[in-house]
Structure formats: structure tokens, C-alpha cells
């Protein structure tokens, strides 16, 4: 077998290197911002059970996404990668948030990355989580965690409904109006995951029309299509690939 050497992992295209995993919602939000900003990176797809040694060397916490800039800077939090991308070239069709909207955006993202994600994981993979009481230990109840996610989704549904009413239209509403923003693309990959956990239930659940409309537009978007292009897992020495391609 060919042994990797440092050069096999180096920046070969003069572009930032993005370690990513296609299905990860954190990596997805980073890729959405990269595509929307029109910046190019060298992409290194991976599988979570076999993370490249080089990625672990530059970011020992071992989560994706990881962006490695040509000057050696490592950005290994998805929101920071988003901020980096839009800081390079702010997407023409995104709403630039004012201070008040930014505060709201940060609050929603904290709710999403905290309470929503915690409950989403337990809804999707109940067998991985156990509830311990003094008397017994049992697997958590996925429906309890789905209900906790729903409470949060209902808030966003109400915001989206209000935006649609203000614009006098049903189609194309985002969290801050008729234009998408950082908040929408930071949140939508996780709402997509929530739907996938039980698609038949989600698609027929009453009371989420505005949210479903918002998600539906995202799912049909060319932005998502470009962000979800498939790459084979990278190995040191592979020919470098650019993203978007
Ligand atoms: N706070 C991190 C979270 C990233 C994260 O947890 N990513 C998951 C994949 S969805 C991961 O890499 N987990 C490591 C593993 O499963 O080994 C971020 O926003 O970038």
C-alpha cells in the first residue's frame, strides 16, 4: 500500500481544503454558504468511522466540517465556516441582517444547535440513548423527543406565517422576509433531517404549512443540489477535486 506523505495532504490547488461528510447537517450548512458565496474550495469527502489522519492532526476534536486555509488557519466549527464564506463574498440574494435580526438569528441557532439537535438525535436514534432512574434504565421515547422538536418548529412556522402575511403571499417566505439569510441556511439542513426521520408522518402532519413550504423550496433549490453533489471518500494522494465542481 502507498504510504501517505505530507505532500499528499498539502494544499494542491492553492484553495482552502474542506473536510466534509455529505449527509452531516453541520457540513451541509457550511457547503451551502460556500456555494452561495461563490467561493471555491478543494473538497475532501470522508466517512465518519475512518477520518483522515490529516484532518485529525489539524483538528483533533474530529468533527466535520473542517476548513483548512492556505495560510494554515483551521476553521472547525460549521457556523465559523459559514461566516468565513459569506465574509469572502456576501451572497447577492441573501439578506444582510441588521443588529436586531442578528441577535434573533443567534438565538435561533443556539436553540437549534442545543435543544433541537439534542431532541432530534433522540427522535432519530432512540436506541442510542438511555434514560436512567434509580429503579431502572430504559430506551428513550422517540415520540417525546419529536414533540420537543415540534415545539421549536412551531415557533419557526409562526414566524414564517407572519412573514408570508406581511408580504401578502404564501410562496417564498423566509425567516426574515422574502429573502433568505444566514439563519435560514444554518437551520434548514436540520429541519430536513427532522423530516427524513419519518417522512410519511411529517408530510401529513397538520399545522406546519408555512414550514413545509419553506423546506420544500429549499429541497427543490439548485443551491441544495449543488451542495449535495456526491464525492467519493478522499485518500491522501488522490487527485484534488474542487467544490463546487
Ligand atoms: N459544533 C460542530 C458540530 C459538528 C458535528 O458534530 N459533526 C458531526 C457529524 S454530523 C461529526 O463530525 N461527528 C463526529 C463523529 O460522528 O465521529 C459544528 O458546528 O461544526
Amino acid at each position: 500500500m502507498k504510504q501517505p506523505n505530507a505532500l499528499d495532504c498539502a494544499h494542491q490547488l492553492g484553495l482552502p481544503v474542506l473536510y466534509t461528510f455529505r449527509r452531516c447537517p453541520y457540513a451541509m450548512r457550511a457547503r451551502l454558504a460556500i456555494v452561495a458565496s461563490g467561493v471555491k474550495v478543494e473538497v475532501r469527502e470522508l466517512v465518519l468511522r475512518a477520518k483522515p489522519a490529516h484532518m485529525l492532526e489539524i483538528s483533533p476534536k474530529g468533527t466535520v466540517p473542517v476548513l483548512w486555509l492556505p495560510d494554515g488557519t483551521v476553521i472547525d466549527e460549521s457556523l465559523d465556516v459559514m461566516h468565513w464564506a459569506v465574509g469572502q463574498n456576501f451572497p447577492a440574494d441573501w439578506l444582510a441582517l441588521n443588529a436586531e435580526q442578528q441577535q434573533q438569528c443567534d438565538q435561533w441557532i443556539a436553540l437549534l444547535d442545543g435543544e433541537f439537535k439534542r431532541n432530534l438525535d433522540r427522535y432519530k436514534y432512540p436506541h442510542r440513548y438511555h434514560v436512567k432512574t434509580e429503579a431502572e434504565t430504559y430506551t428513550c421515547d422517540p415520540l417525546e423527543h419529536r414533540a420537543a422538536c415540534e415545539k421549536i418548529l412551531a415557533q419557526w412556522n409562526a414566524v414564517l406565517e407572519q412573514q408570508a402575511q406581511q408580504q401578502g403571499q404564501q410562496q417564498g417566505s423566509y425567516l426574515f422576509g422574502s429573502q433568505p439569510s444566514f439563519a435560514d441556511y444554518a437551520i434548514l439542513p436540520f429541519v430536513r433531517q427532522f423530516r427524513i426521520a419519518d417522512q410519511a408522518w411529517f408530510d401529513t402532519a397538520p399545522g406546519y404549512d408555512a414550514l413545509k413550504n419553506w423546506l420544500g423550496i429549499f429541497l427543490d433549490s439548485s443551491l441544495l443540489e449543488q451542495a449535495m453533489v456526491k464525492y467519493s471518500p478522499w485518500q491522501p494522494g488522490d487527485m484534488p477535486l474542487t467544490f463546487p465542481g
Side-chain angles (χ1 to χ4, degrees):
M1 205 180 106
K2 188 170 167 279
Q3 288 301 314
N5 65 43
L7 270 181
D8 288 335
C9 302
H11 296 95
Q12 295 190 46
L13 303 173
L15 297 174
V17 165
L18 179 73
Y19 285 101
T20 178
F21 175 55
R22 185 171 176 271
R23 293 203 329 258
C24 163
Y26 298 100
M28 218 179 278
R29 63 159 58 137
R31 296 196 308 269
L32 288 166
I34 287 171
V35 175
S37 306
V39 290
K40 282 213 185 291
V41 296
E42 179 187 335
V43 64
R44 294 182 184 171
E45 177 71 22
L46 53 80
V47 280
L48 291 174
R49 60 173 189 285
K51 291 170 195 142
H54 178 256
M55 181 189 112
L56 294 172
E57 195 184 306
I58 60 171
S59 178
K61 76 186 170 87
T63 62
V64 282
V66 176
L67 187 72
W68 182 44
L69 302 184
D71 71 2
T73 307
V74 175
I75 306 178
D76 60 5
E77 279 294 318
S78 56
L79 296 172
D80 294 337
V81 177
M82 287 187 81
H83 282 299
W84 171 84
V86 303
Q88 298 300 300
N89 184 29
F90 193 81
D93 59 339
W94 285 26
L95 178 74
L97 302 180
N98 63 33
E100 197 186 321
Q101 289 168 326
Q102 188 60 55
Q103 209 180 9
Q104 178 64 86
C105 168
D106 294 345
Q107 259 180 34
W108 280 334
I109 293 175
L111 183 66
L112 175 90
D113 284 5
E115 205 180 321
F116 187 83
K117 181 66 165 70
R118 183 183 171 277
N119 284 291
L120 176 63
D121 288 344
R122 284 159 180 76
Y123 169 39
K124 282 183 67 177
Y125 310 111
H127 54 280
R128 291 191 194 166
Y129 298 93
H130 293 94
V131 183
K132 283 192 183 122
T133 67
E134 272 182 19
E136 56 178 344
T137 298
Y138 54 92
T139 303
C140 73
D141 174 6
L143 296 188
E144 206 178 282
H145 295 287
R146 181 172 78 191
C149 288
E150 277 192 83
K151 276 196 185 144
I152 298 170
L153 293 177
Q155 285 182 35
W156 290 322
N157 187 64
V159 171
L160 292 162
E161 245 169 31
Q162 204 184 17
Q163 293 294 358
Q165 268 166 19
Q166 277 175 12
Q167 294 160 44
Q169 59 173 57
Q170 276 306 313
Q171 288 284 317
S173 290
Y174 294 93
L175 289 167
F176 289 112
S178 58
Q179 268 178 287
S181 71
F182 191 97
D184 298 277
Y185 293 121
I187 295 172
L188 275 161
F190 296 82
V191 181
R192 174 182 175 275
Q193 260 207 348
F194 178 83
R195 172 176 183 258
I196 291 171
D198 186 344
Q199 210 163 303
W201 173 83
F202 181 90
D203 289 347
T204 52
Y208 294 109
D209 289 355
L211 186 97
K212 285 178 187 175
N213 193 44
W214 177 58
L215 179 63
I217 288 171
F218 172 63
L219 295 180
D220 290 341
S221 67
S222 83
L223 179 62
L224 180 65
E225 195 184 344
Q226 291 175 74
M228 293 303 278
V229 167
K230 284 190 180 160
Y231 293 89
S232 302
W234 171 83
Q235 285 186 1
D238 279 358
M239 218 176 41
L241 299 172
T242 54
F243 171 82

